Amino acid sequence: MTILENAQKILEQINETKDNFQLALKSVKSKNDLESVRLMFLSKKGEIQRLFSVLGKLGPTDRPVVGAELNAFRAAAQSDFELVQQSLLTAEKIKDFDVTLPGRMPIVGSLHPLFQVLDEIKIIFTEMGFRVEQGPEIESDFYNFEALNIPEYHPSRDMQDTFYLPDGYVLRTHTSPVQIRTMENQKPPVRMIAPGKCFRKDTPDATHSPIFHQVEGLCVDKGVSFADLKGIVQAFAQKLFGQEMRVRFRPSFFPFTEPSAEYDFSCIFCKGNGCKVCKKTGWLEISGAGMVDPAVFGFVNYDPDVYSGYAFGMGVERIAMLKYGIHDIRIFYENDTRFLNQF
Amino acid sequence: MKVTLNWLKDFVDISYSPDQLAQKLTMAGLEVEDYFAVNRSFKGVKIGKIIDCTPIEDTDHLTSCLVDIGDGRVNVVCGAPNTKKGLVAPIALVGARLEKVEITSRRIKGIESEGMLCSEVELGLSERAEELMELPSDTPVGLDFERFLGEPDYVFDVFITPNRADCQSVIGIARVIASISGRQLRRPPVPWREQDISGNNPVQVIIKNSNRCARYSGRFIENIRIKASPFWLVERLFNVGVRSINNVVDITNYIMMETGQPLHAFDYKLLQGDKIIVRTALKDERFTTLDEKEHILNEHALLICDTVKPVALAGVMGGLNSEVQPETSTVFLESAYFEPVGIRKTAKELDIFTESSRRFERGVDPNGTVYAMNRAAQMMIDLADGHIIGKAVDNYARKINPVNIDLNIERVNRLLGTKRSMQDIAKILTSIEIDVVKSNHDMLSVNVPTFRPDITRPVDLIEEVAINLGYDYIPTNTVACINQLQTPNLKDKFRDFMRGLLVALGLRETVSINLMPDKYAEYFLPEKTGLVQIINPLSADLAALRPDIMSSLLTIISYNRNRQNDTCRFFQIGNVAWKTEAYVEKTHVAGILAGKRTESTWFGKEETFDFYDIKGLAMSLLGKLGIVDLTLKKNTVGFWDSSSVAVFSGKEYLGCMGKLNDQACRLAKIKINDVFAFNFDFDQLFRFARIDKKFESISKYPSVPFDLAIVVDNDVPVAQIEKFIWSAAGSDLIQVKIFDYYTGDQIGAGKKSIGFSLTFSSKERTLDESSVEQSIKNILAHLNRDCGAELRPR
Ligand SMILES: [Zn+2]
């Protein structure tokens, strides 16, 4: 046997060992399997070491060539072995990892449900070209009543139980005074909503509260009609509660509108078929609306022969109660975290 | 106002079911709030006749009655004063269930009682309680009581808006029904004519102030016998909520309910002289109304007087000195028109609101006084054996005529968004008894009857057209032409932006009833201001407007603590108010923290809030709002703890933050004071906020971090050291953070160690080590010179 033949033979053995090693590594399923692979190939008495011992028998030209090949094989085998060892360890760790432990919760705040509804109402109306206006909660008798065509000795004052303050002031009973303030400062066209807190002398119970929130809207321009009012209220109802909503207008009376109306939404619970909430009528009373009374225009120097307008109101609590299925208005003002957490 | 179906049917034919009628009235603007069948569950109640009646010994009022009930006889013990042989009355037999009692067989004073003879109250028919209900003697004995009463009636409770003076009567509501159903209204005629009555009226009516009393009509009825009203009258009044008194008073009430015209019956014997004088009261004049209350009047009050004394407070209530008595035999019946505002003033000032004042203050029909008076007179003839003497008195001092209005048809259609013809509109108006007197081109000229005082202008007529057309028949226009140039309300947007920030900072939005007890509110008042107090509060707990939003937030913490909701993070934006010379109203933005910053978890221990939590929140908020140049000063104001601070932007006060004091917590009933808060003036934040941001370029070169630990005297504030660092470091310093803060043994008493983590960066170049080292050297030298700081030894 020549030296060349010998070297050739060892190289063949190396390749064979490589294949065997890969096969053995692939079939490793456990730590024990892995240990057998180590013993068989990588230990001092293993296959690779055995091949190194044959190296001494080669001639000086072949020895470095085969030696390099063998060294490369040993390094690669060691690295492959460690990879498998690592993945075995990881698998073992994952087996003990409990994903059901609770996560680290970030602290989150929340908007009050009443104001979430108010925000929605504001968005609907600003989309339809209404500007948001604000005004004071302490109002003069003039803005809260007189300028709204509610003279001092008129029975319509009884419609709103009022908290009076000294010196001719009141806590506003509606946000309508904001309409007067806006019209005083702006010529038509006017298209505004006034959201805000209002006060009525109502003894607190499930449906009454001495404070509540209202959104009032006003639109004044040339040729504004009752048909436009019906349109805007209908659009609002459908944007808020969905396309199938219907609106009903009934005659009513407010000193600052003529004609005046109460408007109802088709019952959101029974789709208008009649249920307990709507008292079998299929309708839910929402609030009042109407065409601005010419007397009101008189107070703000708008010419009633040129301009006409509509106004409408709504109670935010009422809508929020319907939307969320809340039956007691007082829960809004308690601010119980168990309540606020739900929204 | 309550009306009954059968009563309405006296004036108009109604073919609607009660459900339909309620619906129709509601859609015509007369909102039916409730309607129900009059309760007549009288199973086991029959008509009985007393055939024998003996008083029971040793009792002062009990009698033993033998009663014929048609198919037999029963014995009952009865306590009513009017038991007598031959009396016909309803009897509830054993087993009958009445509103309050179930009838059983009982033994009273040793006598068997097999039922109960009934009064009207026991049957739930009226409030008459003392006497047995006496039925006509020819009523068939043994008949079921229910059948005796006839057709069941329905009560409708109708909400009458203040403008509909005409609907404060059964006839008024019947008129509306007639118009919506296209039927004729029937008004029962009075069966005699004035000119057939002989004799003159015995008194003269003098109206001193015709502005207050436009018309005063009166009539004398003599030979009156005051007695109980017949059952049908009592029942009708009872069903609409009026208590029966006696026949004469009941008749005046009945006609008022029917026609809307308040009437008053005087006992003529108690009037002195031959004049009725209508005049305003003198200042401090005293008058006692028939409810036995004495009133001190002013010049607003209108009085009806005889020649020596006032006898009625006009339109409000009669006087005690002239009311109808059991022995009254001659009645002077008043039917007048008083001006609404005057009656309203008097009723309000004296706080007496009566069925009469309610009608006058809305406006009765000045041309309806005589009809109502004569209807009542006729009933007094029928039910009180009365006789009319002399012609009626009728002083119509200031004639009130129908109002004439010109109505432009184009204007009707323009305001309503309709396209109705002149004929359509004229027809609608005619159907509600408005006379169309002329029409040309596009104008209608109409006369409005005086029972509709609410219709004075074209727009009032347009409303009538709309109502009678039906709101459902007015089109719905969803295509509006709008002005695209509507600028947003920046302040409102700012408010919403800030609400978003506060939620992102982990706070929950709240809303409060901003009314509170005086005592509590006072503690939160700014110096030298007064509370805004309500003149007529609901209760002492809701008497003052809050002067500071913290008063509300503390209440919310307290409420949650009482319900074991221990950790609280809230904010609120809302108004507060106080009084100096004028009312001052401000908007506050406040946040509050109480309890645990973190609860105990599987990865960490619980931690409680401290000053730096609230400071961090407040500073994040102000930072995001772009409010700069902030300084903090020790705060000594009111309800804040001495460890709290006031916050300024430049010289402008923004608000406070820190811990609240123990007294404030105690007042809010919070047991453990772990409450931290901030409170800013909304308008100040809006003024100084810069939320229109500009982009600042970010350096392309790597930044260089450098940690620096120094030791310094305890009394040198960190903020000051930071300031020195910034001023000494040169322009490449971009960030200073504090990674360590230590006081204790390792560095000795009176000293503290602070670890600063500095970041250097340049937008022009990569920083080399030497330039950073130079900066650090400068910083250390500066700190050493200005506050004696040393590098902390390792
Ligand atoms: Zn329903």
Side-chain angles (χ1 to χ4, degrees):
Chain A
M1 184 162 124
T2 66
I3 289 169
L4 184 69
E5 275 168 348
N6 243 341
Q8 195 60 45
K9 203 175 170 196
I10 293 175
L11 282 173
E12 272 166 25
Q13 279 181 25
I14 290 172
N15 277 337
E16 197 181 320
T17 312
K18 269 184 189 170
D19 290 347
N20 289 342
F21 174 74
Q22 287 303 335
L23 269 173
L25 206 56
K26 258 185 198 147
S27 61
V28 164
K29 295 251 159 56
S30 66
K31 271 183 174 173
N32 285 345
D33 296 352
L34 194 68
E35 183 60 11
S36 334
V37 172
R38 193 187 67 81
L39 286 173
M40 190 182 295
F41 295 95
L42 297 169
S43 69
K44 281 186 183 150
K45 290 176 185 167
E47 281 294 304
I48 295 174
Q49 199 54 42
R50 196 186 58 76
L51 288 169
F52 270 109
S53 63
V54 186
L55 210 56
K57 293 174 186 166
L58 293 178
T61 38
D62 286 343
R63 203 185 297 155
V65 179
V66 178
E69 180 66 25
L70 200 53
N71 269 322
F73 170 44
R74 186 168 62 179
Q78 189 63 39
S79 157
D80 286 354
F81 176 84
E82 275 164 18
L83 265 179
V84 173
Q85 189 177 37
Q86 197 56 47
S87 73
L88 263 183
L89 276 174
T90 312
E92 204 162 280
K93 261 194 202 152
I94 282 174
K95 224 177 71 195
D96 296 337
F97 177 65
D98 187 353
V99 294
T100 66
L101 261 177
R104 294 189 180 91
M105 302 304 281
I107 288 156
V108 278
S110 62
L111 291 171
H112 194 281
L114 203 55
F115 293 138
Q116 291 189 29
V117 171
L118 179 57
D119 287 347
E120 205 175 334
I121 295 169
K122 263 165 58 174
I123 287 167
I124 289 173
F125 282 107
T126 43
E127 276 174 351
M128 298 195 290
F130 287 76
R131 186 180 199 266
V132 177
E133 301 286 354
Q134 304 273 3
E137 291 169 9
I138 298 175
E139 268 294 4
S140 66
D141 191 273
F142 176 80
Y143 282 110
N144 196 74
F145 293 122
E146 291 283 331
L148 289 157
N149 198 29
I150 314 173
E152 185 175 359
Y153 291 105
H154 193 273
S156 50
R157 283 237 173 169
D158 293 346
M159 293 173 87
Q160 301 172 1
D161 278 328
T162 310
F163 288 122
Y164 290 95
L165 302 179
D167 310 327
Y169 283 82
V170 300
L171 296 181
R172 68 174 175 195
T173 55
H174 42 201
T175 57
S176 317
V178 184
Q179 301 182 353
I180 302 296
R181 290 173 177 277
T182 305
M183 287 191 282
E184 275 180 343
N185 294 317
Q186 187 187 334
K187 289 286 136 207
V190 169
R191 217 170 151 88
M192 57 156 285
I193 54 166
K197 196 181 261 186
C198 302
F199 302 77
R200 298 242 174 119
K201 198 182 166 187
D202 282 333
T203 308
D205 63 22
T207 53
H208 294 90
S209 164
I211 69 141
F212 64 98
H213 294 76
Q214 199 182 38
V215 178
E216 291 219 340
L218 171 75
C219 169
V220 181
D221 204 348
K222 288 174 185 161
V224 174
S225 73
F226 198 90
D228 297 329
L229 168 64
K230 285 184 73 179
I232 207 82
V233 174
Q234 166 130 338
F236 167 67
Q238 295 188 344
K239 279 168 180 258
L240 188 70
F241 285 122
Q243 287 302 305
E244 70 284 359
M245 287 299 295
R246 282 167 298 125
V247 177
R248 177 176 84 165
F249 278 71
R250 288 182 282 120
S252 187
F253 168 75
F254 303 104
F256 35 91
T257 52
E258 187 91 0
S260 300
E262 291 277 345
Y263 66 87
D264 306 336
F265 287 177
S266 53
C267 180
I268 55 173
F269 301 102
C270 62
K271 308 272 174 247
N273 295 321
C275 67
K276 225 175 103 185
V277 185
C278 60
K279 291 180 198 141
K280 300 236 151 68
T281 61
W283 296 99
L284 296 169
E285 286 182 31
I286 300 297
S287 191
M291 302 306 292
V292 181
D293 195 294
V296 173
F297 285 154
F299 283 102
V300 296
N301 292 319
Y302 282 12
D303 184 350
D305 289 330
V306 178
Y307 296 106
S308 58
Y310 61 73
F312 55 86
M314 68 194 67
V316 183
E317 278 84 349
R318 167 92 175 133
I319 292 173
M321 287 167 84
L322 290 173
K323 196 174 157 74
Y324 297 124
I326 291 169
H327 301 297
D328 193 328
I329 194 170
R330 289 168 292 196
I331 200 165
F332 289 122
Y333 317 113
E334 286 166 355
N335 302 291
D336 192 314
T337 50
R338 293 165 297 178
F339 171 71
L340 299 177
N341 276 347
Q342 297 178 30
F343 300 94
Chain B
M1 154 157 183
K2 285 181 179 163
V3 289
T4 82
L5 186 59
N6 289 346
W7 202 345
L8 287 167
K9 282 179 176 171
D10 286 355
F11 307 106
V12 64
D13 291 334
I14 298 174
S15 50
Y16 301 128
S17 70
D19 288 359
Q20 284 172 323
L21 183 60
Q23 164 83 1
K24 293 268 179 193
L25 285 173
T26 298
M27 291 308 286
L30 303 180
E31 188 184 349
V32 174
E33 294 186 309
D34 194 14
Y35 65 99
F36 50 88
V38 173
N39 180 26
R40 277 179 171 178
S41 170
F42 298 130
K43 271 211 164 55
V45 183
K46 288 188 163 189
I47 307 294
K49 186 176 192 168
I50 300 176
I51 48 179
D52 197 14
C53 177
T54 45
I56 300 172
E57 275 175 40
D58 299 333
T59 67
D60 52 358
H61 59 284
L62 292 182
T63 51
S64 172
C65 302
L66 187 63
V67 184
D68 181 1
I69 54 166
D71 53 358
R73 292 171 173 193
V74 290
N75 199 70
V76 298
V77 174
C78 183
N82 63 332
T83 51
K84 60 171 189 253
K85 194 171 165 181
L87 182 98
V88 177
I91 176 167
L93 300 172
V94 171
R97 275 166 197 257
L98 301 181
E99 218 167 285
K100 287 167 195 130
V101 283
E102 190 182 339
I103 307 298
T104 53
S105 131
R106 293 192 300 165
R107 257 185 112 74
I108 301 163
K109 296 272 167 197
I111 297 166
E112 208 63 49
S113 184
E114 299 282 344
M116 182 175 78
L117 286 160
C118 301
S119 69
E120 285 164 18
V121 76
E122 282 151 349
L123 296 167
L125 293 172
S126 82
E127 292 184 6
R128 287 205 292 209
E130 297 81 26
E131 302 198 327
L132 295 184
M133 181 178 182
E134 191 169 347
L135 303 176
S137 56
D138 56 354
T139 314
V141 172
L143 186 72
D144 280 340
F145 184 61
E146 208 171 332
R147 283 190 59 199
F148 163 77
L149 287 172
E151 212 184 317
D153 206 352
Y154 281 84
V155 174
F156 288 78
D157 197 349
V158 187
F159 178 74
I160 307 292
T161 52
N163 58 324
R164 291 309 292 266
D166 62 310
C167 288
Q168 300 189 95
S169 64
V170 181
I171 290 184
I173 293 172
R175 188 188 288 119
V176 170
I177 296 170
S179 126
I180 51 186
S181 59
R183 296 189 191 244
Q184 207 60 44
L185 183 73
R186 282 190 298 267
R187 279 152 66 94
V190 177
W192 34 264
R193 294 181 304 173
E194 198 63 38
Q195 58 258 46
D196 299 336
I197 294 168
S198 59
N200 289 323
N201 62 66
V203 300
Q204 189 191 355
V205 170
I206 297 161
I207 297 172
K208 296 260 184 166
N209 186 340
S210 67
N211 282 331
R212 296 291 308 279
C213 174
R215 186 177 197 180
Y216 193 103
S217 316
R219 159 140 267 151
F220 289 91
I221 299 122
E222 62 174 0
N223 201 27
I224 289 277
R225 222 162 62 88
I226 301 289
K227 56 185 175 186
S229 295
F231 173 69
W232 68 264
L233 178 54
V234 177
E235 193 197 28
R236 266 199 181 169
L237 288 176
F238 177 75
N239 284 341
V240 300
V242 180
R243 202 159 60 93
S244 170
I245 311 284
N246 59 44
N247 52 354
V248 168
V249 175
D250 287 358
I251 287 166
T252 58
N253 283 331
Y254 185 83
I255 294 300
M256 174 178 68
M257 299 307 288
E258 180 178 292
T259 63
Q261 171 67 49
L263 302 169
H264 185 67
F266 296 96
D267 182 339
Y268 181 51
K269 288 227 174 68
L270 301 174
L271 302 182
Q272 291 160 280
D274 58 356
K275 287 189 183 72
I276 293 287
I277 300 154
V278 185
R279 63 161 172 90
T280 48
L282 309 170
K283 182 150 178 43
D284 297 330
E285 189 167 359
R286 282 159 190 269
F287 182 68
T288 304
T289 42
L290 52 79
D291 55 0
E292 300 181 25
K293 286 189 184 125
E294 192 189 41
H295 303 279
I296 299 166
L297 310 175
N298 61 24
E299 298 92 329
H300 293 154
L302 191 67
L303 289 171
I304 311 299
C305 309
D306 63 16
T307 49
V308 289
K309 62 180 186 297
V311 291
L313 191 54
V316 180
M317 200 182 270
L320 186 62
N321 58 12
S322 55
E323 74 171 323
V324 169
Q325 317 271 328
E327 55 279 4
T328 298
S329 64
T330 304
V331 156
F332 175 63
L333 189 60
E334 166 198 292
S335 180
Y337 175 84
F338 300 115
E339 184 272 328
V341 172
I343 299 298
R344 169 86 179 166
K345 260 188 197 162
T346 306
K348 253 197 122 171
E349 281 167 1
L350 302 178
D351 195 27
I352 354 181
F353 292 93
T354 59
E355 290 286 337
S356 166
S357 74
R358 266 226 297 279
R359 285 175 171 79
F360 280 121
E361 70 178 26
R362 284 162 172 75
V364 302
D365 181 5
N367 296 317
T369 57
V370 172
Y371 175 74
M373 172 178 78
N374 288 343
R375 280 276 295 151
Q378 183 58 44
M379 277 181 83
M380 288 186 194
I381 295 169
D382 295 341
L383 303 178
D385 308 339
H387 257 299
I388 290 171
I389 41 165
K391 290 193 189 303
V393 202
D394 184 18
N395 186 342
Y396 203 164
R398 177 170 55 91
K399 176 92 171 122
I400 297 175
N401 291 311
V403 175
N404 180 267
I405 305 172
D406 289 335
L407 183 64
N408 181 321
I409 299 305
E410 192 269 328
R411 189 156 184 168
V412 176
N413 285 319
R414 185 149 44 99
L415 192 71
L416 298 181
T418 49
K419 293 190 180 83
R420 295 283 160 168
S421 68
M422 178 184 270
Q423 286 72 23
D424 274 3
I425 289 165
K427 202 174 145 202
I428 285 170
L429 294 175
T430 311
S431 81
I432 53 168
E433 298 186 26
I434 290 172
D435 289 336
V436 176
V437 289
K438 225 169 40 191
S439 66
N440 59 351
H441 300 301
D442 56 352
M443 291 290 264
L444 284 177
S445 175
V446 304
N447 281 345
V448 180
T450 47
F451 61 76
R452 290 301 303 268
D454 57 317
I455 303 176
T456 58
R457 308 165 299 172
V459 70
D460 302 322
L461 287 172
I462 297 176
E463 178 171 62
E464 290 307 313
V465 171
I467 291 174
N468 290 284
L469 193 61
Y471 284 5
D472 282 349
Y473 294 91
I474 293 171
T476 300
N477 177 24
T478 48
V479 187
C481 174
I482 66 162
N483 176 13
Q484 302 291 351
L485 261 180
Q486 184 78 277
T487 54
N489 182 332
L490 293 179
K491 204 165 175 177
D492 193 66
K493 272 183 78 175
F494 176 71
R495 186 187 174 119
D496 288 344
F497 174 69
M498 192 152 59
R499 288 169 60 226
L501 286 180
L502 289 161
V503 169
L505 291 168
L507 302 182
R508 293 196 185 282
E509 188 175 33
T510 59
V511 56
S512 292
I513 294 177
N514 44 344
L515 304 173
M516 49 188 56
D518 291 350
K519 274 267 141 46
Y520 181 65
E522 264 163 17
Y523 189 69
F524 296 89
L525 262 182
E527 271 178 21
K528 291 178 192 155
T529 65
L531 279 184
V532 178
Q533 284 163 305
I534 297 170
I535 294 173
N536 59 333
L538 266 175
S539 69
D541 285 343
L542 301 167
L545 220 52
R546 70 176 172 203
D548 196 289
I549 204 159
M550 216 47 76
S551 58
S552 296
L553 285 171
L554 281 171
T555 307
I556 298 173
I557 301 266
S558 171
Y559 183 92
N560 276 286
R561 281 289 167 81
N562 286 337
R563 284 154 187 82
Q564 291 78 49
N565 306 331
D566 291 329
T567 289
C568 301
R569 308 158 181 271
F570 296 126
F571 80 92
Q572 190 169 133
I573 303 179
N575 286 15
V576 300
W578 58 78
K579 215 178 167 188
T580 52
E581 274 116 65
Y583 292 104
V584 178
E585 195 176 330
K586 293 205 172 266
T587 307
H588 277 182
V589 184
I592 199 160
L593 299 173
K596 299 183 188 107
R597 178 194 310 135
T598 49
E599 316 226 314
S600 266
T601 56
W602 59 271
F603 52 85
K605 287 209 171 62
E606 69 169 49
E607 293 168 5
T608 50
F609 288 123
D610 64 24
F611 174 84
Y612 299 103
D613 288 295
I614 202 70
K615 183 179 176 185
L617 268 181
M619 289 303 167
S620 297
L621 176 69
L622 298 176
K624 283 285 174 198
L625 296 178
I627 299 177
V628 291
D629 192 13
L630 296 172
T631 44
L632 308 181
K633 291 180 188 162
K634 279 257 176 301
N635 176 45
T636 51
V637 188
F639 49 86
W640 294 94
D641 185 75
S642 55
S643 66
S644 68
V645 289
V647 185
F648 295 80
S649 172
K651 286 192 170 144
E652 293 281 345
Y653 176 74
L654 301 179
C656 289
M657 67 184 174
K659 193 170 189 180
L660 292 168
N661 73 16
D662 293 348
Q663 175 66 4
C665 290
R666 226 181 343 261
L667 283 173
K669 302 194 174 69
I670 297 171
K671 289 190 195 87
I672 302 161
N673 179 5
D674 55 356
V675 184
F676 297 87
F678 65 78
N679 185 8
F680 295 121
D681 183 305
F682 175 82
D683 285 295
Q684 288 288 81
L685 297 191
F686 181 60
R687 236 177 103 197
F688 296 106
R690 293 290 168 266
I691 48 178
D692 289 332
K693 301 278 163 56
K694 283 276 180 296
F695 168 68
E696 213 173 277
S697 66
I698 298 160
S699 174
K700 294 188 192 78
Y701 305 99
S703 59
V704 181
F706 194 97
D707 284 354
L708 180 68
I710 59 158
V711 174
V712 68
D713 286 349
N714 243 340
D715 59 356
V716 184
V718 169
Q720 198 169 352
I721 300 170
E722 256 189 68
K723 230 185 210 170
F724 289 145
I725 291 175
W726 280 104
S727 68
S731 61
D732 293 337
L733 181 66
I734 59 158
Q735 191 178 63
V736 179
K737 282 185 177 174
I738 294 166
F739 69 88
D740 183 45
Y741 185 84
Y742 175 78
T743 53
D745 296 343
Q746 287 180 31
I747 49 163
K751 298 274 185 190
K752 60 186 171 191
S753 153
I754 309 155
F756 291 98
S757 173
L758 312 180
T759 309
F760 293 88
S761 170
S762 164
K763 285 175 188 168
E764 283 92 36
R765 64 202 156 87
T766 305
L767 292 177
D768 53 22
E769 253 176 58
S770 67
S771 84
V772 171
E773 266 166 29
Q774 190 52 49
S775 293
I776 298 297
K777 259 185 209 158
N778 287 351
I779 290 169
L780 279 173
H782 198 47
L783 287 181
N784 190 264
R785 191 184 69 220
D786 292 329
C787 57
E790 309 251 5
L791 203 59
R792 185 175 173 181
R794 291 187 186 258

